[in-house]
């Protein structure tokens, strides 16, 4: 009997090993893609950040690229702009998305589906068409924003205000566009998360006399905390990597007032061909993003 049991266990282990091998074969294409196009470029980027790496030049400079960053005023201005974008956009996107999802969660299925599609439309369209529309809105000659302000007598009729050309307003225009293009996915995720909350628990809380606010805070909020953590981290990473809006709208201007680390990195690499210096910026940006993400994970501990 014991011998038969051992044989059965041996057969089951053999079957499990075969299943594992098949599973690894299915994972192999993605693993190869990850190593070749994610891990290898990361290692190469870190390695070349310690070199004076230009067109035809590859000399070890003992980390001078990192020392240069500390005295580069444009880099620190770009870093400041990047952090402002993160600090402003992440809370606004998270709070607004949660508010919209909470409101839609109580509506009919048709209404929820309609507004979900409306908010998600900018994500489907992509960056370029959205930027073209906003560039027309902010245009100083025929932009609809100036037209509306003049129609409401909030701006002199003969005035042409360049929203993207003024230091005081350019960064806020970028933040407005980033906000409108970032809320689609969080709203969809929050609607799904709120739909998975056990209704019997919320109904029991309401029967016990709990207000809607207390029911949300005591019952729904803990249930959607993993979704909130995901949205906060992903929105933070996307905000730190803000590039396309800057490239298409302002090119970092005026006077680097809208330049971000990603845009300045791009400029150093593909305009001045200073690849080693650009890679050093990339390493610093990765460290900053990792630090922000770690703080978010620590402050929003969840199962």
């Amino acid at each position: 009997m014991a011998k038969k049991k051992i044989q059965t266990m041996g057969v089951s282990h053999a079957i499990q090993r075969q299943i594992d091998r098949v599973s690894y074969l299915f994972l192999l294409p993605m693993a190869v893609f990850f190593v070749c196009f994610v891990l290898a470029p990361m290692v190469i980027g870190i390695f070349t950040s310690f070199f004076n790496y230009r067109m035809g030049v590859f000399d070890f400079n003992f980390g001078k690229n990192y020392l240069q960053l500390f005295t580069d005023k444009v880099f620190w201005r770009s870093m400041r702009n990047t952090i402002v974008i993160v600090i402003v956009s992440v809370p606004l996107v998270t709070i607004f998305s949660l508010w919209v999802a909470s409101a839609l969660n109580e509506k009919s299925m048709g209404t929820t589906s309609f507004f979900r599609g409306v908010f998600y439309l900018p994500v489907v369209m992509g960056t370029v068409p959205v930027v073209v529309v906003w560039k027309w809105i902010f245009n100083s000659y025929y932009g609809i924003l100036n037209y509306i302000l003049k129609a409401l007598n909030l701006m002199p009729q003969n005035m042409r205000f360049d929203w993207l050309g003024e230091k005081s307003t350019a960064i806020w225009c970028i933040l407005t566009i980033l906000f409108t293009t970032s809320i689609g996915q969080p709203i969809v995720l929050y609607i799904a998360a709120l739909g998975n909350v056990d209704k019997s628990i919320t109904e029991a809380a309401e029967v016990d006399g709990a207000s809607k606010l207390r029911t949300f805070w005591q019952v729904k909020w803990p249930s959607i905390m993993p979704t909130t953590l995901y949205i906060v981290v992903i929105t933070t990473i996307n905000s730190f990597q803000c590039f396309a809006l800057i490239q298409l709208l302002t090119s970092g201007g005026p006077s680097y007032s809208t330049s971000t680390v990603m845009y300045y990195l791009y400029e150093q690499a593909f305009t001045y061909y200073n690849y080693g210096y650009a890679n050093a910026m990339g390493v610093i940006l990765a460290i900053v993003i990792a630090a922000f993400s770690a703080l978010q994970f620590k402050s929003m501990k969840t199962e």
Side-chain angles (χ1 to χ4, degrees):
M1 188 70 179
K3 185 176 181 181
K4 187 176 181 180
K5 186 176 181 180
I6 293 173
Q7 289 176 348
T8 304
M9 291 177 61
V11 172
S12 62
H13 283 304
I15 294 173
Q16 185 61 47
R17 285 196 298 270
Q18 187 175 358
I19 293 173
D20 291 342
R21 283 196 292 268
V22 173
S23 301
Y24 288 132
L25 285 175
F26 276 108
L27 290 173
L28 184 61
M30 189 59 197
V32 172
F33 179 87
F34 177 78
V35 171
C36 293
F37 298 103
V38 178
L39 189 59
M42 286 174 59
V43 173
I44 293 171
I46 295 172
F47 176 74
T48 54
S49 68
F50 292 94
F51 286 79
N52 182 20
Y53 181 24
R54 297 174 178 267
M55 297 295 289
V57 179
F58 193 74
D59 298 324
F60 184 67
N61 62 8
F62 301 96
K64 289 183 180 179
N65 290 329
Y66 292 96
L67 294 176
Q68 185 179 344
L69 287 175
F70 288 99
T71 58
D72 190 342
K73 294 182 179 180
V74 177
F75 170 75
W76 288 110
R77 185 163 191 175
S78 301
M79 180 63 78
R80 184 191 66 184
N81 292 337
T82 303
I83 293 176
V84 168
I85 289 173
V86 172
I87 291 175
V88 174
S89 64
V90 174
L92 283 179
V93 167
T94 305
I95 295 171
F96 181 80
S97 300
L98 181 57
W99 174 67
V100 172
S102 299
L104 292 177
N105 189 51
E106 299 178 357
K107 303 297 181 181
S108 63
M109 182 64 68
T111 303
T112 301
S113 299
F114 172 76
F115 282 102
R116 184 166 50 190
V118 168
F119 283 111
Y120 200 73
L121 188 60
V123 180
V124 177
M125 290 177 62
T127 303
V128 175
V130 173
V131 166
V132 170
V133 173
W134 278 102
K135 199 167 187 177
W136 168 67
I137 292 173
F138 289 129
N139 189 276
S140 59
Y141 289 93
Y142 49 83
I144 190 173
L145 181 57
N146 282 345
Y147 176 81
I148 293 174
L149 292 176
K150 290 177 183 179
L152 296 174
N153 293 323
L154 298 175
M155 178 186 291
Q157 296 297 319
N158 60 349
M159 182 179 180
R160 292 177 178 175
F161 191 81
D162 189 1
W163 296 92
L164 294 172
E166 295 290 333
K167 293 181 182 180
S168 58
T169 57
I171 188 67
W172 299 107
C173 292
I174 297 296
L175 280 165
T176 302
I177 302 171
L178 183 63
F179 172 78
T180 59
T181 56
S182 300
I183 59 176
Q185 187 180 32
I187 288 175
V188 171
L189 291 173
Y190 269 136
I191 290 174
L194 290 170
N196 291 327
V197 176
D198 193 347
K199 291 184 178 180
S200 63
I201 301 177
T202 59
E203 290 173 356
E206 292 174 357
V207 169
D208 290 339
S211 63
K212 286 189 176 181
L213 181 60
R214 187 171 182 181
T215 300
F216 174 83
W217 188 251
Q218 297 290 338
V219 178
K220 294 182 179 181
W221 178 248
S223 301
I224 64 173
M225 181 60 76
T227 303
T228 302
L229 177 60
Y230 174 81
I231 289 172
V232 168
V233 172
I234 294 300
T235 306
T236 300
I237 294 173
N238 292 337
S239 299
F240 266 112
Q241 295 179 341
C242 181
F243 167 75
L245 296 180
I246 311 297
Q247 169 70 3
L248 296 170
L249 285 171
T250 63
S251 297
S255 302
Y256 290 100
S257 62
T258 60
S259 177
T260 60
V261 176
M262 279 296 296
Y263 180 79
Y264 190 47
L265 185 157
Y266 162 83
E267 187 179 58
Q268 286 293 323
F270 299 104
T271 301
Y272 305 113
Y273 306 107
N274 195 354
Y275 300 115
Y277 190 51
N279 286 336
M281 287 187 213
V283 173
I284 296 299
L285 181 61
I287 293 173
V288 173
I289 293 175
F292 267 75
S293 300
L295 288 174
Q296 289 165 348
F297 273 99
K298 188 174 182 179
S299 61
M300 302 173 65
K301 286 182 179 180
T302 174
E303 295 298 329

